[in-house]
């Protein structure tokens, strides 16, 4: 439990800046969310959808204002949430969180 709390704290530390912790930086650089779809309960459907939106440059860029009242931005947040919810393990969720925070 303490490791999970530390992971969350490290992910949220200075959230508008790049990652500050080496382990999370390594995850963000080396992790490919679409490489192993067996780590997702839905076979990777949610991560494929989010990755397609990212590759098509349809996601809100970093360092821009975010609002849940903006329908499109809310949909993007829900896409990311869906990826996290489909992860079978904590490690999968942390790797995804680090990857998507940097990208």
């Amino acid at each position: 439990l303490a490791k999970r709390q530390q992971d969350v704290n490290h992910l949220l530390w200075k959230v508008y800046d790049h990652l500050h912790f080496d382990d999370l930086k390594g995850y963000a650089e080396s992790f490919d969310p679409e490489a192993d779809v067996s780590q997702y309960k839905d076979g990777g459907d949610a991560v494929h959808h989010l990755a397609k939106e990212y590759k098509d440059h349809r996601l809100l860029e970093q360092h821009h204002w975010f609002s849940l009242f903006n329908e499109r931005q809310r949909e993007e947040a829900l896409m990311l949430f869906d990826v996290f919810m489909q992860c079978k393990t904590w490690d999968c969720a942390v790797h995804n969180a680090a990857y998507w925070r940097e990208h």
Side-chain angles (χ1 to χ4, degrees), residues 78-93:
L78 289 171
M79 282 187 264
L80 182 60
F81 177 77
D82 195 27
V83 169
F84 294 145
M85 292 303 296
Q86 296 302 325
C87 290
K88 290 181 181 178
T89 64
W90 177 256
D91 286 338
C92 174

Side-chain angles (χ1 to χ4, degrees), residues 31-65:
F31 182 68
D32 180 5
E34 295 183 282
D36 180 14
V37 294
S38 68
Q39 61 188 344
Y40 303 102
K41 294 181 235 172
D42 67 347
D45 292 341
V47 78
H48 288 311
H49 181 67
L50 183 60
K52 183 176 183 336
E53 294 288 314
Y54 173 70
K55 290 173 187 169
D56 292 342
H57 304 285
R58 289 193 293 227
L59 297 178
L60 181 68
E61 295 177 8
Q62 289 183 340
H63 307 293
H64 284 78
W65 290 101

Side-chain angles (χ1 to χ4, degrees), residues 9-31:
N9 287 339
H10 287 179
L11 284 165
L12 296 177
W13 179 259
K14 296 185 180 182
V15 74
Y16 290 109
D17 204 357
H18 291 287
L19 291 166
H20 294 273
F21 300 94
D22 292 333
D23 57 341
L24 295 177
K25 283 182 192 177
Y27 298 159
E29 293 169 1
S30 65
F31 182 68

